[in-house]
Amino acid sequence: CLGFHEEYKAKKSLDELSHQLESEVAVRRNGETLQLNVKELVPGDVVLLVGGTIVPADTQWIKGDTVSVDTAPLTGEPIPRKYPGDHGDIILSGTTVVAGECYGRVMRTGEHTEIGNAQKEIMADKTVTVVSVFQKKIMLVVQILVSASFALVIAVLLVQGLYYNGFQDNVSQTILDALVILIASIPIALPLVLQVNMALGASHLATTYNAVVTSLPALQDIASMSMLCSDKTG
């Protein structure tokens, strides 16, 4: 319950942040100039791109200045590209116009854009259930405890049954003693304790460092890292 609560708060914070980052763009549609949210764009709309504008969709340059576009979010290149130019006349979504002013026709929106396809592949990977390093270690500890419990139960059965004649005098009591030891050795509260600790850690990160934790096991995975590698796109 605590883990769900922390992950729910993180998701809510991300939704609020995404809502704050929503922007509008000047659009020419059906002979009228409108100020629309980027989510409302459709292929065929003509948008005005000026310096500082984040390109809202894959857009084909129509007319205007030769614009300089920062493509670092997609390519990692620090030097802006010129459009139209050697790279064609399609300005990709997610890039930023650095200088110049032009009109462009929306060609692709949403998940059909270049960056949208990449995000779709990432989301597809997230649907695959992957056991974290932390969860593997916990399962290893549980397996060791359970194995030790079985060994202890067998030892109790042999000692009490053979040495103290438990199989002859009181079979049910001998089996009951073994079951008590087996049940008592299973770490029933272990998942709860771990979940509470990770939830408290996520809460501390949120209040102290303004960090948003969307997956509690990821906290321990990050803690177990010895080296983090990244390419030029970060």
Side-chain angles (χ1 to χ4, degrees):
C1 182
L2 287 173
F4 171 78
H5 177 66
E6 289 299 329
E7 291 183 0
Y8 173 76
K9 287 200 303 183
K11 183 180 182 302
K12 188 175 180 181
S13 299
L14 287 176
D15 290 341
E16 292 177 355
L17 182 61
S18 299
H19 180 72
Q20 293 175 3
L21 293 176
E22 289 182 359
S23 58
E24 294 184 344
V25 64
V27 181
R28 188 73 177 172
R29 180 186 292 176
N30 298 329
E32 298 181 1
T33 301
L34 308 171
Q35 198 75 14
L36 298 178
N37 190 294
V38 295
K39 292 182 178 180
E40 300 176 22
L41 292 178
V42 296
D45 286 340
V46 175
V47 296
L48 174 63
L49 302 178
V50 298
T53 301
I54 298 177
V55 182
D58 287 356
T59 306
Q60 183 181 29
W61 185 94
I62 299 177
K63 65 178 181 178
D65 304 330
T66 299
V67 292
S68 297
V69 180
D70 179 13
T71 61
L74 290 177
T75 64
E77 297 178 2
I79 301 175
R81 291 180 175 180
K82 301 289 186 180
Y83 290 92
D86 295 338
H87 300 285
D89 59 356
I90 302 296
I91 308 173
L92 299 179
S93 174
T95 57
T96 303
V97 178
V98 178
E101 181 176 315
C102 71
Y103 287 94
R105 179 180 292 107
V106 174
M107 305 299 292
R108 295 178 293 272
T109 62
E111 64 178 19
H112 303 292
T113 62
E114 192 76 20
I115 193 171
N117 285 327
Q119 290 176 342
K120 183 168 63 175
E121 292 176 359
I122 293 173
M123 295 304 297
D125 291 338
K126 286 186 175 182
T127 58
V128 179
T129 303
V130 178
V131 180
S132 66
V133 176
F134 178 66
Q135 291 171 330
K136 289 180 181 178
K137 291 181 179 179
I138 294 302
M139 290 304 299
L140 178 61
V141 172
V142 171
Q143 289 174 1
I144 293 174
L145 291 175
V146 171
S147 299
S149 301
F150 275 113
L152 183 60
V153 166
I154 293 173
V156 169
L157 286 174
L158 292 176
V159 172
Q160 191 166 344
L162 299 178
Y163 187 77
Y164 293 102
N165 297 322
F167 291 140
Q168 298 178 3
D169 299 338
N170 194 343
V171 179
S172 60
Q173 185 62 41
T174 302
I175 297 176
L176 182 61
D177 292 341
L179 289 176
V180 167
I181 295 174
L182 179 62
I183 294 173
S185 62
I186 296 176
I188 300 176
L190 181 61
L192 177 60
V193 173
L194 294 174
Q195 199 77 0
V196 169
N197 286 333
M198 288 191 293
L200 291 175
S203 178
H204 176 71
L205 288 174
T207 55
T208 306
Y209 301 102
N210 295 323
V212 179
V213 181
T214 58
S215 175
L216 294 181
L219 287 176
Q220 296 300 329
D221 282 351
I222 293 175
S224 64
M225 285 184 185
S226 58
M227 181 180 296
L228 177 62
C229 301
S230 175
D231 62 5
K232 61 182 180 179
T233 59

